[in-house]
Amino acid sequence: MFEFNSFSVLFLFLIFLGALPNLFYMAGYLSHIERKFHFLLHYFTFIISMIGVVLSNNIVVFLFFWELMSLSSWQLILTEPDGKNLKAARFYFFMTHFGFVFILLFFLLVSPQNLFMPFSFLKLNMANFKYPTLLFILMSLGFLSKAGAVPLHVWLPYAHPAAPSPVSALMSGVMLKVAIFAFLKFLFMIPSWPIEWGIIILIIGTLSALIGVLYALSEHDIKALLANHSVENIGIILIGIGVGMIFNTLNMPILSAFAFIAAIYHTFNHMSFKSLLFMSAGSILYETHTKNLEQYGGLIKNMPITAFSFLLAAVSISALPPTNGFLSEWMTFQSMLSSSGISNIALKLAFPFSIFALALTGGLAIACFVKAFGIAFLGLYRSENAKNAKEVNILMQIGQILMGIVVISLMLFAPFVIKFINISTPVLNIYNKIFPDIWIMHSVNSNGGSVSPLILFFALIIVTAVIYLIYKSLNIKTRTYHTWGCGYEVNKTNQYSSVGFAGPIRKFFTWLYRPKEHRVKETILGHNTKFIYSFYEVHVKPLFEKSLYDGNVKLANIISYYVYKISHFEKTKYVALIFNLLILVLFSYRVFYHQVSWGEILLEITVMAIFIKILLLGDRK
């Protein structure tokens, strides 16, 4: 029923690192929640269910805990059931069960006779399955929809802002990683992977990283901003997985192991800094009662611990050296740069695109968190709630401090974390190649570089201390004065706004954002350049939601129209319906057993379409 193998224990450790600080934070946040019993019941059920998924050793137990994880997190989104939260919960419920259908189909295909068989026997069935690509497609749709990969990511910016902040930290920091665990667990059970699988995962990861950070930049809801950054970092993890799959197929086990280690190390890192970001954002929400970045400002004066926690996590998620986020992204870059000698034309196109996209993602992530930290914590107060805010209670502070320690530890103890990941993952043991000595991390590529997180960290501390001592020894006089605003009085209304900060990037990527702008301006005697009052806001609806999901709703309406029409046939047309269904069954049988050519397929589909149109549907009225 349960199994404590090395890979499961690795992710059990990840859950422990994410849940323990969260428990302290949750205890302090609890006074902010009205339905306490409902929240606590589903909160602890949620944590137990994630542990159950990681440790389960047969299909029924796995599916039970997977569904329990989905339902308990769904109920946690409904902790405060107002209009927006109800909509977010419905969307999340639909998307999580959309993925569950594919997971169920995956298990029914590989174990049609015994759903209680241990996963060790399931591995034999998967090795002998006739259509492994079908299994890969079902796994990807099922598990990556829960992980939040593009284009199945659209539930994250709805669900994370709607959930209480401790739950947002758990969902983004831990639950998404449980989905990555499940994908990797069953991927490693398939004995060989076609190179196309790795390319698909690489492209999905690249698109997720780039699209996630672009939509994060356009957000002024702080929790929706962080949710989009989860899409970005899941993309970075998938890039590492895709590269590892490609190198494995090309029989390059050292490079493959390096890429997989980079992906799992980034999984741990994202758990740490994203949990800390959601905790810090929750502390701001706890005090200001709003998620709108435009209503913050100057919070570093009133909430220094929260500000430092947010800054630490922001620097790490932006992959600035020597943070843990920098180390795992550096490994991912090094793994992709090792592809220079590959002759496959598809890889010659995919790898440069992914390298460019990952570099652009890093730059945009820095811009996004400069915006988030600067507008939230610096400058003047933008609202009375921000002005009256104070530091959160001691339990919430302890939760943030503990998670901050996890972030720093994953950097300082990177050699030990990477060794733990290497020996726990079913890849080649290359730890001694990465760390020939404990001070310097090396790329396994012969032309690759090296970096020392410990030397960088201590050098940063020493340089900062020297600069501070010199500053103090010179006894430099300081003067505090109002900010110069070109002769205008500086106040909260003429500070840089979140929308204004992202304006140039939004204009450059208009084809992706397709923003809806709303302006209100009250002029003086009709003069366009003189006005008493002006208001500007912009709304961005994600491209995938607008095109893919809204398009599917329209398609469902069209299908429902024809289903209704078929159900109200004249009796003579039912014979034609049975005739067409018989043709479809015989045709499908021939296709399945490869008894037709492509020309025959097109011809028979055309004939069937004509029969359906003339005999069954007729003209649409």
Side-chain angles (χ1 to χ4, degrees):
M1 182 177 291
F2 296 104
E3 182 182 18
F4 287 85
N5 61 42
S6 58
F7 196 55
S8 296
V9 170
L10 175 67
F11 277 82
L12 184 64
F13 180 60
L14 181 144
I15 294 172
F16 171 78
L17 287 179
L20 183 61
N22 196 278
L23 285 169
F24 285 93
Y25 185 85
M26 180 275 297
Y29 194 90
L30 195 59
S31 60
H32 200 63
I33 295 172
E34 293 183 6
R35 302 169 66 197
K36 291 182 174 57
F37 177 77
H38 174 276
F39 174 79
L40 289 172
L41 174 65
H42 293 98
Y43 177 85
F44 287 107
T45 302
F46 184 43
I47 294 175
I48 292 169
S49 64
M50 290 189 290
I51 295 172
V53 168
V54 168
L55 297 180
S56 58
N57 191 36
N58 69 53
I59 296 169
V60 170
V61 175
F62 179 90
L63 290 176
F64 170 77
F65 282 110
W66 185 272
E67 183 65 4
L68 189 63
M69 178 178 72
S70 299
L71 292 177
S72 56
S73 54
W74 169 59
Q75 282 297 310
L76 286 168
I77 295 171
L78 288 169
T79 300
E80 300 170 359
D82 58 21
K84 283 188 176 180
N85 291 0
L86 285 171
K87 180 182 176 182
R90 281 196 299 267
F91 198 9
Y92 174 70
F93 184 86
F94 171 78
M95 289 302 298
T96 193
H97 287 92
F98 171 84
F100 183 78
V101 168
F102 293 102
I103 295 170
L104 186 60
L105 287 173
F106 165 74
F107 283 126
L108 290 175
L109 284 176
V110 295
S111 58
Q113 298 175 346
N114 182 11
L115 295 178
F116 288 92
M117 68 168 60
F119 284 143
S120 56
F121 292 104
L122 183 68
K123 185 175 182 179
L124 296 174
N125 287 4
M126 293 174 70
N128 297 323
F129 193 74
K130 192 174 181 181
Y131 303 100
T133 299
L134 178 60
L135 298 182
F136 171 72
I137 292 170
L138 294 175
M139 286 165 47
S140 300
L141 289 171
F143 296 123
L144 298 187
S145 65
K146 176 69 80 175
V150 168
L152 303 173
H153 66 292
V154 291
W155 61 270
L156 275 86
Y158 290 97
H160 288 348
S165 296
V167 178
S168 300
L170 276 181
M171 288 179 70
S172 185
V174 182
M175 185 185 75
L176 304 188
K177 311 311 176 299
V178 171
I180 293 293
F181 159 82
F183 178 75
L184 286 173
K185 180 183 181 74
F186 296 108
L187 181 69
F188 285 133
M189 289 184 182
I190 301 175
S192 61
W193 309 318
I195 199 166
E196 291 79 9
W197 293 10
I199 294 173
I200 289 171
I201 296 299
L202 178 63
I203 292 172
I204 291 173
T206 303
L207 292 175
S208 298
L210 194 53
I211 290 171
V213 73
L214 283 171
Y215 278 114
L217 263 166
S218 70
E219 280 289 350
H220 52 263
D221 180 318
I222 191 168
K223 292 181 74 175
L225 180 150
L226 296 178
N228 279 300
H229 271 291
S230 292
V231 178
E232 173 218 342
N233 281 273
I234 288 297
I236 294 171
I237 293 166
L238 291 177
I239 287 173
I241 293 172
V243 174
M245 293 171 67
I246 290 169
F247 284 140
N248 181 274
T249 305
L250 296 175
N251 197 25
M252 299 177 174
I254 294 176
L255 293 176
S256 175
F258 188 75
F260 276 118
I261 291 169
I264 298 175
Y265 184 35
H266 196 75
T267 301
F268 272 76
N269 293 337
H270 181 245
M271 177 279 300
S272 64
F273 54 64
K274 184 49 63 68
S275 296
L276 183 54
L277 283 168
F278 268 113
M279 288 179 180
S280 303
S283 297
I284 299 170
L285 173 61
Y286 189 89
E287 288 296 321
T288 62
H289 311 290
T290 179
K291 293 176 283 188
N292 189 351
L293 269 171
E294 310 290 10
Q295 300 298 313
Y296 298 156
L299 292 174
I300 194 171
K301 297 168 228 167
N302 298 344
M303 306 178 71
I305 292 177
T306 298
F308 179 78
S309 299
F310 193 97
L311 180 62
L312 172 63
V315 170
S316 186
I317 197 174
S318 300
L320 295 175
T323 59
N324 57 339
F326 163 76
L327 295 176
S328 51
E329 286 200 33
W330 179 84
M331 292 179 70
T332 305
F333 269 115
Q334 290 294 323
S335 66
M336 287 194 289
L337 292 171
S338 304
S339 63
S340 57
I342 296 175
S343 59
N344 185 294
I345 187 64
L347 296 179
K348 282 185 173 293
L349 295 173
F351 274 114
F353 168 68
S354 298
I355 292 169
F356 165 76
L358 186 56
L360 180 59
T361 297
L364 292 173
I366 294 171
C368 187
F369 279 99
V370 167
K371 176 190 88 168
F373 183 82
I375 290 174
F377 292 99
L378 306 180
L380 302 174
Y381 302 116
R382 299 167 188 265
S383 67
E384 285 300 313
N385 284 352
K387 186 176 182 179
N388 297 324
K390 59 183 184 300
E391 192 57 84
V392 290
N393 60 63
I394 188 65
L395 286 173
M396 294 173 70
Q397 291 180 46
I398 290 173
Q400 293 177 85
I401 292 168
L402 287 176
M403 191 56 75
I405 292 171
V406 172
V407 172
I408 295 171
S409 298
L410 288 171
M411 175 194 67
L412 290 179
F413 302 110
F416 305 102
V417 175
I418 288 174
K419 184 174 185 179
F420 183 31
I421 291 170
N422 194 180
I423 64 176
S424 302
T425 307
V427 295
L428 189 68
N429 191 337
I430 59 168
Y431 173 77
N432 291 330
K433 291 182 177 295
I434 301 173
F435 284 101
D437 60 76
I438 202 170
W439 291 98
I440 301 175
M441 176 189 290
H442 291 264
S443 170
V444 295
N445 180 14
S446 57
N447 298 320
S450 59
V451 65
S452 175
L454 293 176
I455 292 175
L456 281 174
F457 179 72
F458 289 119
L460 184 65
I461 291 175
I462 292 169
V463 169
T464 304
V466 168
I467 293 173
Y468 179 77
L469 291 173
I470 292 173
Y471 170 78
K472 283 294 186 181
S473 64
L474 293 176
N475 197 24
I476 297 173
K477 295 181 179 179
T478 59
R479 183 179 66 171
T480 303
Y481 200 70
H482 296 296
T483 303
W484 169 247
C486 300
Y488 291 95
E489 181 184 357
V490 177
N491 56 50
K492 65 180 182 180
T493 60
N494 56 18
Q495 296 182 101
Y496 233 114
S497 67
S498 172
V499 173
F501 190 96
I505 296 172
R506 190 175 61 249
K507 290 183 186 300
F508 188 81
F509 290 98
T510 301
W511 59 271
L512 175 67
Y513 289 131
R514 298 180 185 178
K516 290 184 178 180
E517 298 180 341
H518 177 60
R519 294 181 177 89
V520 176
K521 185 166 68 174
E522 185 179 341
T523 62
I524 299 177
L525 299 175
H527 294 283
N528 289 331
T529 57
K530 299 178 181 179
F531 50 88
I532 317 172
Y533 169 80
S534 66
F535 176 78
Y536 172 80
E537 65 178 356
V538 58
H539 295 285
V540 174
K541 188 173 185 180
L543 176 64
F544 284 95
E545 186 178 335
K546 188 182 297 183
S547 56
L548 180 61
Y549 289 82
D550 290 352
N552 282 334
V553 170
K554 292 178 182 177
L555 179 63
N557 288 333
I558 293 170
I559 292 172
S560 65
Y561 166 80
Y562 284 112
V563 169
Y564 173 82
K565 191 167 184 177
I566 289 172
S567 67
H568 291 75
F569 274 155
E570 299 90 348
K571 292 181 180 178
T572 54
K573 287 193 174 181
Y574 280 108
V575 178
L577 176 62
I578 294 169
F579 173 70
N580 277 279
L581 288 175
L582 181 62
I583 291 176
L584 178 63
V585 170
L586 293 173
F587 175 58
S588 301
Y589 177 85
R590 292 173 62 200
V591 171
F592 191 77
Y593 282 97
H594 307 287
Q595 295 177 356
V596 289
S597 65
W598 281 108
E600 290 175 321
I601 290 174
L602 293 174
L603 177 62
E604 295 197 31
I605 288 175
T606 303
V607 171
M608 287 173 60
I610 293 171
F611 269 94
I612 291 170
K613 173 64 178 173
I614 296 174
L615 295 179
L616 297 179
L617 301 179
D619 296 328
R620 183 172 179 176
K621 297 179 180 179

